[in-house]
Amino acid sequence: LGVGPEIPVGICVEQSLDIAVGLLGILKAGGCYVPLDPRYPNERLSFMLHDIQAEVLITQQRLIEHLAEHNAQLVCLDGDWASISDCSGANFVSDVTAENTAYVIYTSGSTGIPKGVLAPHRGAVNRLDWMWLAYPFEAREVLCQKTSLNFVDSVCEIFGPLLRGIPLVRSEEHTSEL
């Protein structure tokens, strides 16, 4: 879909396994992920989508109506598996370097307009390396991932265990409606 280094890809999914699928797909393609919380007001989602100028947006069918107007190509992780399975199964190799952006997380905007903070792969890997040294995983441990993608702590909660082969479970959120 044209995703490569420094190409932002929006990901707007509810807390589920789709998060890991989406993030790993974006990073494997070489892009940087931009979390878009489906609980955010439409105005904030609209601002973020416009600001990043995403060409691709990963979401779920039930969230499409909630998303602000955008020009991104939609990939629905719960509805596009037929077209996804038509893609090559070959191992894709990207041109990403340690200096390329891995993710963009927006500030709360408490001082005005939210700002996207770009984080390079090098920073994420250095943080994970420190975490593994300071808090090594033990045999038979499981990590519970509970932090929203919109907070930097989610990077360690998701990729820390996955990159070490540690089971990751997602704590369920209970929301009534968007």
Side-chain angles (χ1 to χ4, degrees), residues 65-135:
E65 289 181 17
H66 179 67
L67 295 171
E69 188 173 322
H70 59 85
N71 295 322
Q73 180 175 345
L74 286 179
V75 176
C76 291
L77 292 177
D78 59 352
D80 289 341
W81 284 111
S83 59
I84 292 170
S85 65
D86 287 342
C87 296
S88 171
N91 188 20
F92 182 80
V93 178
S94 73
D95 295 325
V96 170
T97 70
E99 302 309 319
N100 288 121
T101 304
Y103 57 89
V104 179
I105 294 182
Y106 275 78
T107 63
S108 65
S110 60
T111 60
I113 297 173
K115 295 163 190 66
V117 178
L118 286 67
H121 287 273
R122 179 183 308 281
V125 170
N126 285 342
R127 171 65 170 87
L128 291 170
D129 187 53
W130 169 84
M131 183 185 80
W132 294 322
L133 291 172
Y135 305 102

